[in-house]
Amino acid sequence: MATACAAPNRSALVIGASGGIGAAIASALREDSAFASVVTLSRTSNGFDITNECSVREGAAQLAEHGSRFDLIFDATGALEANGNPPEKAFAALEPASLQASFSVNAVGPALLFKHFASLLNHKGRSVFATLSARVGSIGDNRLGGWMSYRASKAALNQIVRCAAIEIKRGRPNSIVVALHPGTIETPLTRKYARGRFTHTANAAARKMLNALEALSAKDTGKFFDYAGNIVDW
């Protein structure tokens, strides 16, 4: 299988590795002989909380103390339901607490990851920092409306990715920072909303996204791709 970094003895960090996609990404990387090390962080296994800056800072500091540097950092965090509420079908259902909770997980959390973990990217060669976005976060592709909290938080994430790509490239010209749309993955949560219209399983999505990352170069940094490597409209 082609991977995000094809050279041998590479290292990867998967954040959100207890979720369906994160676990699949970590598993695929561990099966790949190109990666000598795969480190994982998650709320379940490490108590790692992307919405708490102290947790994020301490997690990055502990890895830095061990001299960890990564060729691939994959952020697989995110939440479809916020504050226990499903995606809104209309503005009448919008609750400020749910909107804030969605931004906290889907936008603020990844921004903190860029703030504290970008320095752990390998600066001597090609390095990748990928984060999960969603096609419904595309403003240009929004034809149905609804899902305001989720859409808006992912749109904010896309802008954060763009800013991070510009800043990180200044110190690491071979870096690739991108947002990824994984498709509609079959999980217990998505079954309530996808109505059977699943793109693929988490394992299949992981393989496809890693293959898509493999095909990217530094000129692709700051862009939004789907699992097949196609550009998604901002």
Side-chain angles (χ1 to χ4, degrees):
M1 181 191 75
T3 67
C5 303
N9 300 320
R10 297 285 178 167
S11 60
L13 170 64
V14 181
I15 301 171
S18 61
I21 297 177
I25 289 288
S27 177
L29 290 170
R30 285 176 174 140
E31 292 173 358
D32 194 322
S33 59
F35 285 86
S37 171
V38 179
V39 178
T40 60
L41 292 173
S42 72
R43 186 194 296 269
T44 301
S45 60
N46 313 102
F48 184 80
D49 183 358
I50 65 166
T51 66
N52 182 318
E53 185 167 17
C54 288
S55 178
V56 175
R57 183 190 298 113
E58 290 172 3
Q62 289 174 6
L63 290 172
E65 287 175 4
H66 289 87
S68 298
R69 289 295 181 270
F70 299 101
D71 303 288
L72 169 64
I73 298 177
F74 196 106
D75 168 30
T77 63
L80 177 58
E81 293 184 345
N83 207 36
N85 293 320
E88 312 93 348
K89 293 183 179 180
F91 273 96
L94 182 67
E95 295 185 2
S98 295
L99 182 62
Q100 292 169 351
S102 188
F103 268 77
S104 180
V105 175
N106 295 327
V108 177
L112 292 175
L113 295 181
F114 284 123
K115 177 180 179 180
H116 293 286
F117 281 84
S119 61
L120 298 182
L121 285 171
N122 182 356
H123 65 277
K124 295 183 179 179
R126 181 182 185 272
S127 61
V128 179
F129 200 135
T131 187
L132 288 183
S133 187
R135 189 179 295 276
V136 295
S138 166
I139 295 174
D141 192 56
N142 184 359
R143 298 176 179 84
L144 299 175
W147 291 37
M148 280 70 70
S149 295
Y150 188 63
R151 284 184 187 275
S153 62
K154 288 297 189 179
L157 170 61
N158 291 344
Q159 183 67 275
I160 289 166
V161 167
R162 181 68 174 176
C163 290
I166 293 170
E167 181 171 324
I168 292 171
K169 188 176 181 65
R170 291 171 185 153
R172 291 171 171 78
N174 294 317
S175 64
I176 304 167
V177 180
V178 292
L180 287 176
H181 167 61
T184 304
I185 311 303
E186 185 172 6
T187 67
L189 179 61
T190 57
R191 289 191 192 107
K192 294 188 288 185
Y193 307 109
R195 300 176 187 174
R197 297 191 295 269
F198 298 112
T199 309
H200 37 226
T201 64
N203 288 334
R207 291 191 295 271
K208 290 178 180 180
M209 285 189 288
L210 291 174
N211 284 338
L213 291 177
E214 161 68 11
L216 303 183
S217 65
K219 66 180 176 58
D220 297 307
T221 194
K223 297 179 181 179
F224 185 12
F225 295 92
D226 69 10
Y227 57 88
N230 300 312
I231 287 284
V232 179
D233 191 358
W234 289 121

